[in-house]
Amino acid sequence: MDAKVQTKTSKGHDDAEREGLDQAGIRPMIGNEAIARGAWEAGVRVAAAYPGTPSTEIMEFLGTYPAGDSHVQWSTNEKVSLDVAIGGSFAGVRSITAMKHVGLNVASDALMSQAYIGVNGGLVLVVCDDPGIHSSQNEQDTRMFARFAQVPVLEPADAQEALDYTRRAFDISEEFDTPVILRSTTRLSHTRSPVKTRPRTDVEPRGFNEDTVKNVIIPAHARMAHPRVLAREVKLQEFFASPEFTRWEEGSTEIGIITASTAYSYVKEVLPEASVLKLAASYPMAIDRVREFYEAMDRVLVIEELEPVIETAMNAAGMPVEGKAFFPRDGEFSPEVVREGLRKAGIIEGAEEQVPFPVTPTARPPVLCSGCPHITSYMAVRSVNARVAGDIGCYTLAAVDPLRAIDTCVSMGSSIGNAVGFAKAGLETRPIIATIGDSTFLHGGIPALIDAVYNNANITVMILDNHIVAMTGGQDHPGTGKTLRGEETHRVVFEDMVRACGVKWVRKVDSYDMASLYQALREAIEHKGVSVVISDRPCVLDPVKLKGSPMQVAAAGCTACQSCMNLGCPSLGWSEEVLDGYHKVRIDETTCIGCSLCAQICPSDCIRPVVN
Amino acid sequence: MAGKVATKPRSVLIVGVGGQGVIMMSKVLALVCQRHGLQVKQSEVHGMAKRGGGVFSHIRYGETVSSPTIPKGEADVLLAMEWSEGLRWLDFLRRDGGAFIADTKRIVPPFAFRSRKYGSQPIYSPEAPREVMEMVGSGFALDATKIAAELGEPRAANTVLLGVLSTTLEFSADDWREVIAQNVPAKAQEANRLAFEAGRDWADASRASTMEDRLRELPGRDELAAEIAPKSVQFEITGEWCKGCDICVKMCPERCLRLNDEQIAELANPEACTGCRICEWLCPDFAIRVHRVPVLEPVA
């Protein structure tokens, strides 16, 4: 069982279906489902996203609502998805985009402009942060981005608030003429709790707003817009002072806690007796209300996950306050972290340190799947002793044991540009390879490939085409030929696209054909200039979980050389049998999918299909 | 709500390995809780976890639940579907009578085999059920797959564990029976019904016996594999026979060979060499020999 949304996307608009959806009720939902529900209830008409943990399920859940209610799509990247949502807003309908925190970096160019332009139809960006870095490359705090872009940010603490705030975000967007960020975190997005639902409000489309001065952000117009943005900040500060958005929970006045987001739930767990000011928005902060609370308390602490956004704003407003002196700026909060901070602050007694049980758990890092086509791609890369720029995807796992085939990994699409830099630095004597997945290539690799050709960089690009966005649980993209709702559409042909970028040496190889892949890679490296190898094989998990008849090791022939163990395939392990100090290999037939990669690599040819 | 201290919620932590059904188990428990109108929060983390890594799910229920995650040392029940995963989360268990329900099943990860040196053994938690249950003091260690297999349906092992879990929580057996029936496909109904009862019976029988008896039945530590005397590897090349064909360099699983300036193979990284002999076998000119030499203990 995984967390993947059942992809029963709705293609039509069935009245009975709609009636069922409109019924109010209480249902358990993860935060992401509640956000999708909130958007649907708010009458959203255009929705676009690029998948990214922990935000992915939002668009998948929106896709389960009737197609007649909302257009829901995967975009090629987060900037495009925001531009699509902005387009929907210009056109006069409520629009939403969802992304992970680092996705906002990609989309930020459009956001910074749109913050000045404002909205026509309500415009909401859902941005899911990843405190603790469960599945990301950093733990940047989107609230800093909201402050930077001067757009309001709502921070729900549980699934019910996720739904309610999403609904309200559209109202706020339209009332204050601003994009609104709804900020979730991994914990909220993936925690299931009961949520009260309501019917959908069908919002009348506003029609295009023919105001060129507003819609076209040229310097003259931007200069007029900026004061509006500053005035908006003040109005929002007043608006957020209402109890709906700044909740004062009375308790002991000896200690007052100001908090937001999931940190609130840990505060209630650990210090239920304290007075709490729970902010729905760290920016623009309801500063007057915060001051009232501050003055009513003997001592005030700010407990916020990641960056000291509230704390800094309070200090700047002349309210010296404690927070990050006791609570970390990095990592995910938990009741333990909050308790430890309160102990450091002298507010609660230090609990006696529990002596850990003296046990040694087994290290169990994530691995590529049995039969994963990326395995051979990186076996081939290893064989040519290259300097390798990696990228973002499941295949980043090839950086660690046993493949150890990637030297760098930066951000979506960085590999190709990085490789150009390696080449132009002029120091590398080894071949230079950039490895990039199909969806990552479409997301951010194409401009870099054109750059490489334009500047005649002597590099080889390997596109790992597994026909899906695998890492986030199997979403469609322009290279799969299917839309989010499963409709057939144009399918990107990678060879054509690469040639159109000006690449002269292109070859597509079946990832499972190891000899051809090795051969193609060697020839590609010989080519002076940009060469592209497309390593092509569908993901073994999505859209269909593949299972063929398994392989087995003829133990008599196994020399225990363990060459096959370099694949890192989870179906391969050691048998009890030891030959001269080395374990022979066995294959777990229940998980082996029969890809034959180990058989292709076995020097003693002792791995064969199981014959029943 | 002013000043009111909420009654403490109950906390169940379910852990295992990706693909074992941790999330499904959590869902069943959450549904049982909801039948009683309790607030339930269930928290898990997606993403890399499913790629063969550990999976965990926090379930908290009660009149009101604040934190979605269980504070360390406060789980009323820790249900581990894989032995070592249970050990990983053991410190989350309440020390005063929290129940540790552990399947003794071992899923050994690829990482356990990463050292391929002479004499290497898989790296898996050495602690055996007998010593751990003695240490924890309350709970159950069982081979759920074996119990389910005896009923003719090894895939119902999870339901056996649910049967054991049901005896540690306050809900009636019928609550569980009905929720399980609603969440199991028609053709698996009977097997899961039997598995659930088998889990309950097993737990009841276990409670009826003394701690000493229970411990005696559990597996102890594996007999340690006979110590293998260490050997070092020596790589010998007959330079005159090597024609620099590069086959050994390209095929070395540990990538520890290279051609030197005279285009003759050499061992560039002796630390990485495991002595597997692939180069020796593949050399078309018989120029390579790999010697595994016993390391002599210094004489005192």
Side-chain angles (χ1 to χ4, degrees):
Chain A
M1 294 289 285
D2 60 51
K4 202 178 138 194
V5 177
Q6 299 302 312
T7 45
K8 183 195 152 289
T9 47
S10 174
K11 290 180 185 148
H13 194 319
D14 185 289
D15 284 345
E17 181 182 19
R18 177 63 185 274
E19 204 169 291
L21 286 168
D22 270 344
Q23 271 174 6
I26 294 180
R27 289 200 282 132
M29 290 184 185
I30 60 169
N32 281 348
E33 185 177 4
I35 291 167
R37 175 79 195 192
W40 178 79
E41 288 182 5
V44 78
R45 294 284 290 270
V46 171
Y50 182 80
T53 310
S55 71
T56 313
E57 300 87 357
I58 296 169
M59 222 36 62
E60 292 182 310
F61 278 115
L62 261 173
T64 64
Y65 291 98
D69 288 350
S70 323
H71 166 77
V72 184
Q73 69 165 51
W74 294 124
S75 289
T76 40
N77 66 36
E78 293 86 352
K79 179 178 188 302
V80 176
S81 77
L82 175 55
D83 283 331
V84 169
I86 288 171
S89 168
F90 273 135
V93 299
R94 290 188 159 187
S95 303
I96 195 168
T97 178
M99 60 197 71
K100 67 184 294 172
H101 57 333
V102 290
L104 185 58
N105 302 337
V106 179
S108 61
D109 201 4
L111 173 65
M112 300 309 279
S113 297
Q114 204 62 26
Y116 278 30
I117 294 171
V119 304
N120 182 25
L123 176 64
V124 174
L125 291 81
V126 182
V127 185
C128 299
D129 285 2
D130 190 15
I133 322 188
H134 295 283
S135 189
S136 300
Q137 56 269 45
N138 72 16
E139 51 185 347
Q140 65 189 52
D141 189 332
T142 294
R143 301 177 304 154
M144 306 275 279
F145 232 125
R147 171 72 187 77
F148 180 37
Q150 294 178 285
V151 299
V153 56
L154 295 175
E155 300 158 62
D158 60 25
Q160 183 67 58
E161 284 190 353
L163 188 152
D164 296 342
Y165 287 6
T166 307
R167 272 186 79 121
R168 291 291 274 139
F170 286 96
D171 302 336
I172 294 168
S173 172
E174 286 167 1
E175 186 178 341
F176 293 90
D177 192 15
T178 177
V180 175
I181 294 176
L182 184 105
R183 180 213 189 222
S184 179
T185 61
T186 303
R187 190 58 61 189
L188 168 61
S189 282
H190 291 167
T191 292
R192 195 179 303 274
S193 58
V195 173
K196 187 163 174 283
T197 60
R198 281 168 290 179
R200 176 172 162 103
T201 311
D202 275 313
V203 179
E204 195 60 34
R206 298 174 162 207
F208 198 90
N209 176 7
E210 306 286 351
D211 181 354
T212 314
V213 176
K214 175 177 166 65
N215 295 345
V216 180
I217 198 76
I218 55 174
H221 300 167
R223 276 182 223 115
M224 288 188 278
H226 198 178
R228 286 203 304 270
V229 171
L230 298 175
R232 182 173 80 197
E233 183 181 53
V234 176
K235 281 189 223 152
L236 280 161
Q237 281 179 350
E238 290 161 9
F239 174 77
F240 283 136
S242 73
E244 183 187 3
F245 295 105
T246 300
R247 193 166 72 228
W248 186 328
E249 298 178 4
E250 284 184 24
S252 155
T253 53
E254 280 169 35
I255 176 77
I257 307 284
I258 301 179
T259 186
S261 186
T262 38
Y264 165 79
S265 61
Y266 307 131
V267 170
K268 297 302 281 185
E269 177 82 23
V270 177
L271 203 63
E273 65 274 19
S275 288
V276 172
L277 193 67
K278 188 212 171 264
L279 306 183
S282 301
Y283 175 83
M285 197 168 79
I287 201 81
D288 292 341
R289 190 70 174 150
V290 169
R291 198 181 301 279
E292 278 176 51
F293 183 82
Y294 181 80
E295 283 166 1
M297 298 296 142
D298 299 341
R299 186 180 178 191
V300 175
L301 280 181
V302 177
I303 302 183
E304 55 188 324
E305 212 166 34
L306 298 177
E307 287 300 299
V309 174
I310 299 168
E311 184 181 346
T312 306
M314 286 181 70
N315 282 323
M319 289 178 269
V321 71
E322 302 163 298
K324 291 299 170 188
F326 309 118
F327 302 93
R329 276 173 75 180
D330 64 326
E332 187 182 12
F333 274 15
S334 61
E336 297 92 310
V337 168
V338 170
R339 187 173 291 147
E340 174 60 17
L342 290 170
R343 192 193 59 74
K344 277 191 205 155
I347 289 165
I348 55 175
E349 292 289 309
E352 203 166 309
E353 189 67 19
Q354 183 179 289
V355 182
F357 283 110
V359 292
T360 39
T362 305
R364 199 185 297 277
V367 291
L368 292 170
C369 303
S370 297
C372 174
H374 295 326
I375 291 175
T376 20
S377 301
Y378 283 101
M379 287 300 282
V381 168
R382 273 169 61 114
S383 77
V384 293
N385 189 30
R387 178 65 68 203
V388 183
D391 224 302
I392 308 275
C394 296
Y395 48 91
T396 316
L397 291 170
V400 296
D401 265 334
L403 286 166
R404 276 181 286 127
I406 293 174
D407 295 306
T408 63
C409 169
V410 183
S411 70
M412 290 289 288
S414 289
S415 58
I416 300 175
N418 293 159
V420 173
F422 295 169
K424 296 302 178 187
L427 302 173
E428 192 58 72
T429 54
R430 301 194 287 169
I432 294 167
I433 298 180
T435 58
I436 183 165
D438 46 349
S439 183
T440 309
F441 178 70
L442 297 171
H443 176 288
I446 296 167
L449 184 64
I450 295 169
D451 182 285
V453 173
Y454 173 56
N455 293 299
N456 194 29
N458 186 23
I459 63 167
T460 297
V461 176
M462 186 184 253
I463 298 176
L464 310 160
D465 183 7
N466 64 355
H467 308 194
I468 203 92
V469 191
M471 172 106 167
T472 47
Q475 288 72 33
D476 282 295
H477 65 68
T480 69
K482 282 216 166 69
T483 68
L484 183 140
R485 288 194 190 269
E487 291 145 344
E488 298 286 330
T489 182
H490 172 74
R491 177 176 183 169
V492 168
V493 178
F494 283 97
E495 290 151 287
D496 294 352
M497 172 170 280
V498 166
R499 285 205 183 88
C501 292
V503 178
K504 298 284 182 278
W505 198 105
V506 184
R507 189 177 300 165
K508 183 164 118 174
V509 189
D510 181 350
S511 313
Y512 279 0
D513 181 352
M514 229 177 215
S516 300
L517 193 60
Y518 278 52
Q519 178 71 21
L521 197 57
R522 286 195 187 193
E523 286 180 32
I525 287 164
E526 292 299 314
H527 176 81
K528 293 288 168 242
V530 180
S531 53
V532 173
V533 176
I534 300 163
S535 178
D536 178 88
R537 209 12 115 148
C539 172
V540 296
L541 276 190
D542 292 301
V544 182
K545 193 166 177 2
L546 301 175
K547 179 82 175 91
S549 70
M551 310 292 286
Q552 65 185 358
V553 179
C558 177
T559 61
C561 76
Q562 301 196 5
S563 289
C564 54
M565 294 301 290
N566 273 311
L567 296 167
C569 173
S571 296
L572 293 169
W574 288 347
S575 77
E576 298 293 310
E577 199 177 340
V578 173
L579 178 70
D580 189 19
Y582 296 85
H583 282 267
K584 290 191 177 186
V585 172
R586 62 157 178 80
I587 294 173
D588 177 2
E589 291 178 15
T590 59
T591 57
C592 172
I593 70 159
C595 72
S596 85
L597 297 182
C598 52
Q600 291 182 50
I601 213 167
C602 176
S604 55
D605 200 20
C606 68
I607 301 180
R608 302 281 169 78
V610 172
V611 183
N612 292 318
Chain B
M1 287 293 288
K4 188 188 163 203
V5 180
T7 46
K8 215 163 178 148
R10 298 265 282 169
S11 301
V12 178
L13 182 57
I14 304 182
V15 303
V17 176
Q20 278 195 292
V22 168
I23 307 303
M24 188 276 290
M25 302 270 279
S26 319
K27 193 179 149 197
V28 170
L29 171 57
L31 288 169
V32 170
C33 299
Q34 274 158 25
R35 288 164 73 93
H36 292 268
L38 296 168
Q39 198 190 3
V40 188
K41 285 189 178 173
Q42 182 236 323
S43 186
E44 69 218 28
V45 168
H46 311 168
M48 293 304 269
K50 64 191 275 193
R51 306 273 178 263
V55 177
F56 55 89
S57 173
H58 299 248
I59 301 113
R60 310 192 77 207
Y61 61 88
E63 294 296 319
T64 55
V65 180
S66 294
S67 169
T69 55
I70 301 167
K72 210 173 199 176
E74 292 185 21
D76 297 289
V77 181
L78 169 61
L79 173 58
M81 302 170 72
E82 197 272 348
W83 179 245
S84 180
E85 290 307 308
L87 301 186
R88 188 186 316 287
W89 292 94
L90 207 47
D91 287 326
F92 275 71
L93 194 63
R94 241 181 50 211
R95 291 295 170 101
D96 53 341
F100 181 40
I101 304 173
D103 195 326
T104 54
K105 181 194 189 80
R106 291 176 170 203
I107 299 177
V108 183
F111 199 70
F113 310 117
R114 74 190 185 286
S115 168
R116 296 195 283 278
K117 299 274 176 157
Y118 185 89
S120 292
Q121 294 300 329
I123 304 161
Y124 188 89
S125 312
E127 293 83 9
R130 191 185 299 157
E131 63 189 286
V132 172
M133 296 321 283
E134 192 167 12
M135 191 159 63
V136 175
S138 60
F140 309 91
L142 69 159
D143 186 342
T145 309
K146 191 172 151 217
I147 295 173
E150 281 164 6
L151 300 170
E153 184 47 276
R155 284 180 299 178
N158 291 356
T159 312
V160 174
L161 291 172
L162 283 177
V164 180
L165 176 67
S166 71
T167 65
T168 63
L169 301 175
E170 60 272 46
F171 308 107
S172 78
D174 282 337
D175 281 327
W176 291 89
R177 289 183 186 116
E178 284 164 31
V179 169
I180 290 168
Q182 283 159 10
N183 285 277
V184 162
K187 62 181 191 312
Q189 287 285 349
E190 183 61 10
N192 279 283
R193 192 186 64 77
L194 290 172
F196 178 76
E197 302 304 335
R200 285 185 69 86
D201 293 346
W202 188 91
D204 289 343
S206 179
R207 278 198 185 81
S209 62
T210 64
M211 189 68 181
E212 286 72 36
D213 287 340
R214 277 149 70 184
L215 289 175
R216 202 171 303 120
E217 280 172 20
L218 288 171
R221 249 182 220 230
D222 291 344
E223 292 295 310
L224 281 179
E227 190 82 4
I228 298 173
K231 286 190 182 178
S232 71
V233 178
Q234 282 177 8
F235 178 84
E236 179 193 349
I237 180 130
T238 311
E240 307 86 80
W241 295 356
C242 174
K243 61 177 186 271
C245 73
D246 213 22
I247 288 175
C248 57
V249 176
K250 288 286 189 287
M251 297 308 289
C252 171
E254 309 303 326
R255 291 184 292 179
C256 55
L257 300 174
R258 71 173 169 217
L259 294 184
N260 66 15
D261 293 342
E262 282 127 40
Q263 297 296 297
I264 291 170
E266 66 176 12
L267 181 58
N269 185 1
E271 286 300 302
C273 176
T274 63
C276 73
R277 287 188 171 150
I278 295 252
C279 51
E280 180 177 320
W281 296 326
L282 293 179
C283 178
D285 300 297
F286 306 101
I288 300 173
R289 292 190 66 191
V290 175
H291 306 282
R292 297 167 183 167
V293 189
V295 177
L296 297 176
E297 295 290 325
V299 181

